[in-house]
Amino acid sequence: MSVMTLPRCSRPSDGSGGQAWLRRALFQPDSIAIIGASSDPAKLGGRPVDYLKRFGFAGRIYPVNGSGEVVQGLPAFRSVADLPETPDQALVIVPAQAVEPALEACAARGIRLVQVLSSGFAEEGPEGAVRQKRILAVARRAGIRITGPNALGSVSVPDGLFATFTTTLDSMRFRPGRVSFVTQSGAFASHAYACAHLRGIGMSRAVATGNEADLDVAECIALLADDEGTSVICAALEGCRDGARLRAALLKAAQAGKPVIVMKVGASEAGAAAAATHTGSLAGEDRVYDAVLREGGAWRAQSIEEMIDIAQLCSLGGMPGGREVGIVSISGGIGVLMADAASAAGLSLPAFPPEVLGAVIESLPAAAGVNPVDTTANAIPRMDAVETLIGSALERTAIPTIVTYFAHTLRNPALFAKVEQGFRRLRQRYPDRLLIVVATLDETVRDRLGEIGIPVFDDPSRALRALGAGAALPGLQAAAEVLLAVPPLHGEAIDTRHEAGAKALLAAVGVPVLPERVVTDAAGAVAAAQAVGYPVVAKILSEDIPHKTEIGGVLLGLADAASVAAGFQTLMERARAHAPTARIDGVLIAPMAGKGLETIIGVQQDPVFGPMIMFGLGGIAVELFQDISFGSAPLSPARAARLIDQVRGASQLLKGWRGSPPLDRDALVAALCRVSELAASRPAEIRSIEINPLLVRAEGVVALDALVVSVPGAV
């Protein structure tokens, strides 16, 4: 496997530089100062010195401590002011109260990248948060970029840079490769690094950002998107403070064709609380993170194991060219298991054509199935027949991926030699196809096949799940797009205290509403009903009663003047009985809408990512099943359509169900876009919007009920 390295770091003349300088200073410095260096390799301050020496860092290492004595065979300095040159970066590993003076010294010496590995800052409460603000202020004044505090440091395996104190390196020597890691948590990082190493995955760069006073995961993803030594980016988030920066970083990686595999922890209430106390991160609404990651072309992994599986697949074999897969197994039962796993992962298994199957049956008469193909155990001594089957499938079909199950047979050196030779030939003949081997794990098998670009999994279901993610990533990346700019909406202020005003605002931006009238007495209600046409619906209007149905504040199907007049009185009495102090603005009279599919459109102002659009099936279904999807505002028509497709049942119901006519999907897409544009044009004015239900009809849509919560006096 070839590993591309960047030219050595050269600081720009202005001392600040751009992203290229920062990337090189972080991962490929020519020189590094270790402030708080120790002669004891077991101590925190001693480990980076030991690792840099042991793993062949070619740059200059400057230990800095109060003694100024020799540190692990290297001359030490009492202060960074005494260094013979200005290093490209500094590691700070001193007690929390000594970090600020250390940063001041770095500023005076002209050091522009500092990794603060010391803890005792925002992760430890209010006093620590104050200390963190002070060191950030020092960095800002001096133009210093910092990782941390409470960081683990950075790694560049091809360059021998191990500017970290992780104990993982006490027993492991990472192999160079093309998978890079960026995480907030240092412990998460250490575990992920170890898992990757034990799976035989070669690493390129790695950085753990800690409390993220300055550099964060998003900016590091952007750095790696431009890194020629990185093909796959694994990231772990507890939270995010700059949603726009994360969106931009994911889009940058997608445009570069680099898969980003993200673990976002803190999905549960308990997890979110723990995340807030760990690095001071904002956990946010978990489903919003789902949407933002998906929109950015990233895959959200649910475990470290899944992250490593996908990284192995993409770094060795590359992302597959489609969702079709062929399965060849020496076990019929495992073949069925793999078929189930493929289906669950969104993969399809097209039948091999007769000419492909005939090629193997001549050699293996007991073989059965059209995909999966069960070669039976008779194939064990006839690996040439398996090669013939796979080769024929690759030659005669467009299936992009073949997965082969060998059980434990590859532990036999003689059998493995035959398989290896066969797969080498297949890779040479079909370099654009993906071949995956499933076999009980043997390091020799894994490494030898890995050298020719074939991922090896010991569990068939995990192999198919990883393949499903890999097959989805190209589509996610292709769909990633920049959020459209929406100019601020200027116009006449509209009263959104209740439903009538909310609908007027929606109508002003192009969301259809029914012809309806606000009345304040029974006679007015009858006149309004005659004007809009019977039968009608009558609703109480009050900013203090946002959920009218809970008090019986909605009357349906009023068919004549008498029922309308009586209905008006009934609504007023119910409102006074259930909410005696409520301000009543009258009653809304509207025609009955007829048949259609009830859906819900909502807007949620997320503190990190701004206005987010929510879509789901309407009525009580949204509260009962929570089957909803989120998207960033403003929506493009394509993203609005995907939002609909993510809600189970919505697409099928829109096509027509059990004799009902097809419904107007295009009008629903348009309504989603209009609401999203409204939210994006007034993010500081509109707190939330809810249209429930938005009725989708055979032709068009109509908002039957709406609630807009605005900043007082803003809308």
Side-chain angles (χ1 to χ4, degrees), residues 39 46 102 108 148 152 206 303 311 366 426 691:
S39 295
L152 188 67
S303 67
L426 290 168
I691 307 174

Side-chain angles (χ1 to χ4, degrees), residues 25 143 147 168 306 329 350 408 422 473 484 537 549 562 584 640 642 664 666 683 685 692 694 701:
T147 65
T168 309
E306 181 186 354
S329 172
H408 59 278
L473 273 163
L484 300 174
V537 56
T549 57
I584 308 299
R642 288 194 291 272
D664 198 337
D666 290 342
E685 302 171 14
N692 187 17
L694 178 85
V701 299

Side-chain angles (χ1 to χ4, degrees), residues 26-27 51 55 115 117 147 150-157 161-177 179-210 217 220 224 232-236 263 303-305 307-308 311 446:
L26 186 61
F27 297 119
Y51 298 153
F55 297 122
Q115 299 204 68
L117 277 55
T147 65
N150 191 33
L152 188 67
S154 64
V155 169
S156 180
V157 179
L161 175 76
F162 293 88
T164 177
F165 57 76
T166 176
T167 57
T168 309
L169 294 167
D170 291 343
S171 58
M172 299 179 183
R173 178 164 187 162
F174 300 154
R175 67 186 71 196
V179 177
S180 292
F181 289 84
V182 52
T183 73
Q184 290 173 327
S185 166
F188 185 105
S190 291
H191 188 77
Y193 303 165
C195 289
H197 173 79
L198 293 172
R199 289 286 298 278
I201 295 175
M203 287 175 53
S204 181
R205 327 291 184 205
V207 59
T209 56
V217 164
C220 291
L224 294 169
V232 179
I233 302 170
C234 294
M263 268 206 71
S303 67
I304 295 178
E305 180 181 71
M307 172 186 282
I308 299 301
R446 180 196 66 199

Side-chain angles (χ1 to χ4, degrees), residues 549 598 600 617-627 692-693:
T549 57
E598 291 189 354
I600 181 171
L617 295 179
I620 62 171
V622 66
E623 297 180 10
L624 181 61
F625 301 113
Q626 289 290 301
D627 184 16
N692 187 17

Side-chain angles (χ1 to χ4, degrees), residues 656-684:
W657 181 251
R658 292 191 174 181
S660 62
L663 302 177
D664 198 337
R665 179 187 174 95
D666 290 342
L668 175 57
V669 167
L672 281 163
C673 291
R674 298 293 179 272
V675 174
S676 75
E677 290 164 6
L678 172 62
S681 69
R682 294 186 173 184

Side-chain angles (χ1 to χ4, degrees), residues 21-106:
W21 166 79
L22 179 58
R23 183 174 59 256
R24 292 173 182 172
L26 186 61
F27 297 119
Q28 295 182 302
D30 286 326
S31 54
I32 183 169
I34 302 169
I35 303 172
S38 171
S39 295
D40 185 351
K43 290 186 176 180
L44 292 183
R47 290 177 194 162
V49 179
D50 177 44
Y51 298 153
L52 289 167
K53 291 181 61 183
R54 192 195 320 169
F55 297 122
F57 176 61
R60 297 170 294 283
I61 307 168
Y62 298 118
V64 177
N65 62 25
S67 67
E69 299 174 353
V70 173
V71 171
Q72 299 185 43
L74 298 172
F77 301 85
R78 293 183 183 276
S79 168
V80 293
D82 300 331
L83 298 179
E85 64 173 317
T86 300
D88 293 318
Q89 73 161 267
L91 295 187
V92 174
I93 319 175
V94 297
Q97 62 270 21
V99 170
E100 186 176 351
L103 269 178
E104 295 279 13
C106 289

Side-chain angles (χ1 to χ4, degrees), residues 1 34 56 84 100 107 110 121 250 259 301 497 508 548 560 584 669 688 694-695:
M1 179 184 299
I34 302 169
E100 186 176 351
F121 292 88
L250 295 175
R497 291 176 301 141
K548 300 177 283 293
D560 52 40
I584 308 299
V669 167
S688 66
L694 178 85
L695 190 70

